[in-house]
Amino acid sequence: MANYKEIIATYKDKPGGIIEAFHAIQKEFNYIPEEALREAAKAFGLSEAEAFGVATFYSYFSVKKRGKYIIRVCTSAPCMVAGGDKLLEALENYLGIKLGETTADGRFTLEATECVGQCQGTPVITINGKPIPEVTPERIPEILSSYK
Amino acid sequence: MSVTRSEVAKAYEKLQTQAKKKVESLKEKPLVTVGTATCGRASGALEIFNLFQEEIKKNGLDVNVMEVGCMGHCYAEPLVTIYKPGFPSLCYGSVDEGKAQRLINDYLINDDPCFEFAMAALEPNDFFPTFADYPRGVYEYKIVMELCGLINPEDIDHYIAHDGYAALVKVLNMDPDDVIEEIKNSKLRGRGGAGFPTGIKWELCRKAPGSPKYVICNADEGDPGAFMDRALLESNPHQMLEGLIIAAYAVGASQGYIYVRAEYPLAVTRLQTALDQARSKGLLGDSILGSDFSFDVKIFQGSGAFVCGEETALIASIEGKPGIPSHRPPYPATQGLHGKPTLINNVKTLSYVPHIIRKGAEWFKSIGTPESPGTAVFALAGKVKNTGLAEVPMGTTIRDLIFYVGDGIRDEKKFKAVQIGGPSGGCLPESALDLPIDFDSLQEAGAMMGSGGLVVLDEDDCMVEIARFFLDFTQKESCGKCTFCRLGTKQMLEILTDITKGKGNPEDIDLLWELAEDVKAGSLCGLGKTAPNPVLTTIRYFRDEYEAHVNEGRCPALMCKDLIMYYIIPEKCSKLCDVCIGSCPTEAIYTRPDMLKAIDQEKCVKCNSCLVACPPQYKAVIKISPPRPVEEGEMKQDE
């Protein structure tokens, strides 16, 4: 877990580079660790609060450690009228966690997302960015079984 | 300069000759294309693509296989098209492993085109109807979607072979002012939602003092229900890029950005490939096509903040700050990114530009309506049969779009409303179906074109709940800068939530209306100014539903959980079947002494499982609103 310094250094001199650095760090670690936030603040000449403010303004970034697979359930209107609310409940029950939590084995984190632009097949979830359309509560075990 | 000009044309001719040769040679033998935009991938298109490749190799067939983008028929993904010399080019929808195997064995190895599961032919022929022969074909008019699903989005030669970048060549031989004049003449209006005249925006930026200037493509598509920008970028990224380069030339910019959502990874990859290939062909970078115009583009990934679709917030985001909008004026056209003149256009707006330059402003104005010329791309979602994308002339009615292009409502249900324009738009009822869709008519009806998302709602959708979903979205996405948006939407959301829970008061409806008007008037940016629209339109057109909630504690659509109960009609229940018991997660369903099933209302969590599970021949489970004790035999006459 050392190379966040290198990542930050790559973007250091670019205007607006802090967001690009956060993307790169999150890609590597699945979230933005606190020490990386501190380092970024220093590199971009911001206070730690400001760097934290940037990271937490954007819902795509997480400053909380997350599981190996991040399940995001779309909670925008087109998915909700297609049963997205029931799907979310079913996922919570199946995984035994609430929205925003990570399973004890560190495998899954359950998050809500706004529209991911896959409204042709509602309701939609994404797992590590991959969209899966038309998910019903019955399909959950089969879908999650391929994420070990 | 004249030397440079002919050099530019010559350089392009060379590129195009090579490209055409390459693309034509593809169709000398059979060619299989698979739509692998994310809508296709989500339905298993990559697996089908791999299957074709493997089987073709295994059988030693001399057949090309190629990835293409999305044609708009997302409901029929994965979509496969087969071009075989001597046969019409045929599209096949919902191709699974079985169909793919048949196409390989019967059509590629033998000569049976499997008409029984073909969807449509691409060009008129004596054997099979084309897309134009379907009701949908009467309304569709493809400009920006014309090549989507037909060309390989990861190979610039495919775009060039279809006259791609010819508009850029034309522009490089024009005075920038003339380019702007042409766009102004075309009356192209911004397709991001507001409908501001594109040519005037360009002119403002060109005339603004300051250097360097920037152009930005706004691909931060975030409206729930909209996915056309994603499809365009995944299917034909060069079209937008050509428009962006032309815009840069016209306003005098040297650096461009594409602000695209990180939630669209495939669009990001395909854009990156497009930029690399354009650079290697001399269409991007220093002295483009040998001219004295230099311009380059960078991709910037958005990070899940809806408000960044707003111009000033988007700029703040590229500058590395939280995406909080600022007061306008100064407009970005005069003082934008890093304080310099900046032009921001939506993906679709830029995608129209090469067509207008190539075919002329008069051609563009001959399509659509006088005040909103051209076409519009709509995303059909919700309870409509054919979900996907459709490009139709402006002025097409909502009815034609939903019932002919989208083939009507699913499951024989009744149409109730259409939510148009996402969270900034409104819900329009049956009586508004004959409204022509253009920027101005929709605004009059209280909705808005927005990015063109249409969420179709049926009789099972509660309009109060729909308003709540959209407001919940804008409330969460409010950046928090202005009080009206930050607190106003929160208050509105609380009132709406109370209503859906049966805790509303009769005076709440007027209070909501009043608050909505205030939030509209008092907010700084487009997000807050339009956030109340879904609430205002649902009250305007569906006030009776609000009244049923607050006065009777009844949800007419039987959707609001707190206002309904589940009930098993004894006369319909089959004593011998147990599926409802098995489906219930809380053991709320029990068997009565007479063997009929019943629900313990105390234990029921209203998950809907029993209603789904009850076999269709019985249909014994129903929803009742408001919850109340039911007498035995009372429901008998209802059916």
XYZ file of all heavy atoms in Angstrom, chain A residues 38-79:
325
model
N -4.360 12.657 2.993
C -3.428 13.623 3.603
C -2.333 13.991 2.619
O -1.987 15.152 2.441
C -2.786 12.993 4.849
C -3.743 12.907 5.988
C -3.058 13.184 7.322
N -4.029 12.966 8.377
C -4.242 11.769 8.935
N -3.517 10.718 8.583
N -5.157 11.639 9.862
N -1.789 12.950 1.973
C -0.711 13.144 1.018
C -1.171 14.045 -0.140
O -0.456 14.955 -0.558
C -0.275 11.769 0.484
C 0.849 11.792 -0.544
C 2.199 12.133 0.073
O 2.351 11.926 1.291
O 3.085 12.603 -0.673
N -2.398 13.780 -0.618
C -2.929 14.563 -1.734
C -3.091 16.037 -1.316
O -2.774 16.940 -2.083
C -4.267 13.990 -2.198
N -3.576 16.241 -0.107
C -3.754 17.611 0.383
C -2.425 18.361 0.329
O -2.339 19.485 -0.165
C -4.303 17.584 1.809
N -1.380 17.685 0.807
C -0.045 18.300 0.818
C 0.405 18.614 -0.612
O 0.827 19.724 -0.925
C 0.962 17.334 1.467
C 1.633 17.931 2.696
C 2.815 17.089 3.174
C 2.384 15.724 3.698
N 3.473 14.786 3.902
N 0.268 17.607 -1.500
C 0.771 17.739 -2.862
C 0.046 18.835 -3.638
O 0.634 19.503 -4.481
C 0.640 16.407 -3.592
N -1.236 19.003 -3.369
C -2.006 19.979 -4.145
C -2.187 21.309 -3.415
O -2.958 22.160 -3.830
C -3.361 19.393 -4.552
C -3.232 18.306 -5.593
C -3.181 16.976 -5.210
C -3.130 18.617 -6.940
C -3.035 15.972 -6.158
C -2.991 17.616 -7.889
C -2.938 16.295 -7.505
N -1.493 21.443 -2.299
C -1.529 22.706 -1.585
C -2.879 23.038 -0.968
O -3.298 24.190 -0.922
N -3.581 22.014 -0.511
C -4.887 22.227 0.109
C -4.794 21.847 1.583
O -3.878 21.125 1.996
C -5.947 21.326 -0.546
C -6.201 21.501 -2.039
C -7.163 20.422 -2.515
C -6.789 22.869 -2.333
N -5.781 22.317 2.356
C -5.853 21.824 3.723
C -6.429 20.413 3.668
O -7.064 20.038 2.685
C -6.758 22.725 4.567
O -8.088 22.576 4.140
N -6.215 19.651 4.726
C -6.759 18.286 4.731
C -8.275 18.327 4.614
O -8.891 17.470 3.970
C -6.332 17.557 6.012
C -4.892 17.077 5.911
C -4.396 16.438 7.195
O -5.235 16.041 8.029
O -3.162 16.339 7.352
N -8.883 19.316 5.239
C -10.342 19.437 5.182
C -10.807 19.674 3.752
O -11.805 19.117 3.300
C -10.812 20.582 6.076
N -10.036 20.498 3.023
C -10.426 20.765 1.630
C -10.312 19.502 0.771
O -11.189 19.209 -0.030
C -9.543 21.877 1.045
C -9.956 23.272 1.499
C -8.928 24.338 1.143
O -7.703 24.043 1.178
O -9.342 25.453 0.832
N -9.225 18.764 0.950
C -9.040 17.536 0.174
C -10.150 16.542 0.503
O -10.714 15.886 -0.379
C -7.675 16.919 0.466
N -10.471 16.462 1.800
C -11.553 15.589 2.232
C -12.877 16.070 1.624
O -13.706 15.274 1.183
C -11.620 15.612 3.769
C -12.607 14.650 4.348
C -12.293 13.283 4.423
C -13.829 15.082 4.833
C -13.199 12.387 4.972
C -14.739 14.189 5.381
C -14.426 12.842 5.452
N -13.037 17.385 1.560
C -14.247 17.982 0.981
C -14.416 17.601 -0.476
O -15.522 17.278 -0.921
N -13.318 17.607 -1.227
C -13.392 17.236 -2.638
C -13.790 15.766 -2.750
O -14.710 15.397 -3.484
C -12.040 17.487 -3.353
C -12.069 16.918 -4.770
C -11.728 18.975 -3.397
N -13.117 14.910 -1.976
C -13.362 13.471 -2.089
C -14.790 13.113 -1.705
O -15.413 12.259 -2.331
C -12.373 12.703 -1.223
N -15.311 13.767 -0.682
C -16.646 13.373 -0.218
C -17.771 14.085 -0.952
O -18.921 13.702 -0.838
C -16.800 13.622 1.294
O -16.417 14.969 1.567
C -15.936 12.677 2.100
N -17.435 15.105 -1.734
C -18.473 15.775 -2.521
C -18.994 14.824 -3.593
O -20.173 14.814 -3.927
C -17.919 17.037 -3.177
C -18.937 17.788 -4.000
C -19.812 18.677 -3.388
C -19.031 17.597 -5.374
C -20.771 19.351 -4.140
C -19.989 18.269 -6.126
C -20.854 19.161 -5.502
N -18.085 14.020 -4.133
C -18.428 13.164 -5.263
C -18.799 11.762 -4.780
O -18.020 11.110 -4.097
C -17.249 13.085 -6.233
C -16.926 14.435 -6.850
C -15.903 15.239 -6.350
C -17.679 14.911 -7.919
C -15.627 16.476 -6.908
C -17.400 16.144 -8.484
C -16.376 16.923 -7.986
O -16.120 18.134 -8.546
N -20.002 11.320 -5.169
C -20.486 10.048 -4.629
C -19.733 8.845 -5.190
O -19.796 7.760 -4.646
C -21.975 9.896 -4.916
O -22.189 9.789 -6.315
N -18.999 9.052 -6.274
C -18.251 7.929 -6.853
C -17.054 7.553 -5.980
O -16.588 6.437 -6.008
C -17.772 8.321 -8.256
C -17.262 7.175 -9.085
C -18.148 6.275 -9.667
C -15.895 6.992 -9.291
C -17.699 5.224 -10.432
C -15.435 5.938 -10.069
C -16.340 5.049 -10.634
O -15.888 4.009 -11.403
N -16.574 8.520 -5.198
C -15.420 8.246 -4.336
C -15.876 7.751 -2.973
O -16.901 8.178 -2.445
C -14.587 9.515 -4.131
C -13.964 10.040 -5.398
C -14.003 11.397 -5.695
C -13.347 9.182 -6.292
C -13.442 11.887 -6.870
C -12.775 9.663 -7.465
C -12.830 11.019 -7.748
N -15.074 6.865 -2.411
C -15.364 6.403 -1.061
C -14.122 6.620 -0.209
O -13.010 6.328 -0.637
C -15.724 4.920 -1.076
O -15.870 4.477 0.241
N -14.333 7.142 0.998
C -13.196 7.310 1.903
C -13.256 6.221 2.981
O -12.495 6.230 3.935
C -13.167 8.717 2.553
C -12.861 9.764 1.506
C -14.480 9.040 3.242
N -14.187 5.302 2.775
C -14.340 4.187 3.710
C -13.852 2.927 3.035
O -14.091 2.719 1.850
C -15.834 4.015 4.041
C -16.186 4.247 5.494
C -17.682 4.296 5.698
C -18.361 2.933 5.610
N -19.823 3.054 5.711
N -13.163 2.094 3.779
C -12.660 0.846 3.203
C -13.847 0.010 2.719
O -14.884 -0.066 3.377
C -11.894 0.073 4.283
C -11.047 -1.054 3.738
C -10.117 -1.516 4.845
C -9.384 -2.789 4.603
N -8.908 -3.236 3.417
N -13.676 -0.561 1.549
C -14.795 -1.319 0.973
C -14.381 -2.748 0.643
O -13.211 -3.106 0.652
C -15.283 -0.623 -0.299
C -15.813 0.770 -0.040
C -16.541 1.335 -1.216
N -15.631 1.694 -2.309
C -16.052 2.290 -3.424
N -17.341 2.547 -3.601
N -15.204 2.607 -4.377
N -15.379 -3.553 0.338
C -15.140 -4.957 0.035
C -14.502 -5.151 -1.327
O -14.261 -4.202 -2.067
N -14.263 -6.432 -1.647
C -13.623 -6.766 -2.906
C -14.560 -6.428 -4.075
O -14.130 -5.939 -5.102
C -13.301 -8.260 -2.896
C -12.465 -8.739 -4.045
C -12.066 -10.196 -3.831
C -11.428 -10.758 -5.084
N -11.409 -12.239 -5.064
N -15.835 -6.731 -3.876
C -16.809 -6.430 -4.925
C -17.794 -5.395 -4.426
O -18.372 -5.552 -3.350
C -17.558 -7.695 -5.340
C -16.648 -8.758 -5.862
C -16.402 -9.916 -5.123
C -16.006 -8.607 -7.090
C -15.546 -10.898 -5.587
C -15.144 -9.581 -7.567
C -14.918 -10.729 -6.815
O -14.072 -11.682 -7.281
N -17.974 -4.355 -5.190
C -18.892 -3.305 -4.786
C -20.172 -3.429 -5.605
O -20.164 -3.267 -6.826
C -18.236 -1.926 -4.951
C -17.057 -1.851 -3.983
C -19.231 -0.808 -4.664
C -15.928 -1.036 -4.482
N -21.219 -3.747 -4.885
C -22.521 -3.865 -5.544
C -23.219 -2.526 -5.401
O -23.409 -2.033 -4.293
C -23.397 -4.949 -4.881
C -22.654 -6.278 -4.825
C -24.729 -5.086 -5.612
C -23.381 -7.345 -4.031
N -23.560 -1.914 -6.521
C -24.291 -0.653 -6.449
C -25.680 -0.877 -7.039
O -25.823 -1.379 -8.155
C -23.551 0.452 -7.208
C -22.111 0.621 -6.752
C -21.471 1.828 -7.405
N -21.542 2.988 -6.530
C -21.323 4.244 -6.940
N -21.055 4.494 -8.189
N -21.389 5.238 -6.086
N -26.679 -0.520 -6.276
C -28.054 -0.696 -6.716
C -28.576 0.657 -7.174
O -28.482 1.638 -6.439
C -28.936 -1.211 -5.555
C -30.342 -1.500 -6.050
C -28.312 -2.443 -4.930
N -29.101 0.711 -8.375
C -29.622 1.980 -8.859
C -30.924 2.308 -8.152
O -31.849 1.499 -8.139
C -29.842 1.946 -10.368
S -30.590 3.477 -10.949
N -30.973 3.478 -7.542
C -32.188 3.872 -6.828
C -32.870 5.058 -7.497
O -33.624 5.778 -6.881
C -31.870 4.229 -5.361
O -30.830 5.208 -5.345
C -31.419 3.026 -4.576
N -32.578 5.249 -8.797
C -33.264 6.315 -9.521
C -34.644 5.834 -9.959
O -34.912 4.635 -10.004
C -32.449 6.732 -10.735
O -31.384 7.550 -10.311
N -35.494 6.792 -10.295
C -36.909 6.502 -10.553
C -37.171 5.349 -11.529
O -37.977 4.479 -11.221
C -37.614 7.774 -11.008
N -36.502 5.299 -12.697
C -36.852 4.219 -13.623
C -36.623 2.832 -13.020
O -37.396 1.918 -13.273
C -35.916 4.454 -14.814
C -35.545 5.884 -14.729
C -35.527 6.220 -13.279
N -35.574 2.694 -12.208
C -35.326 1.400 -11.573
C -36.285 1.167 -10.413
O -36.697 0.038 -10.158
C -33.882 1.302 -11.085
S -32.735 0.963 -12.434
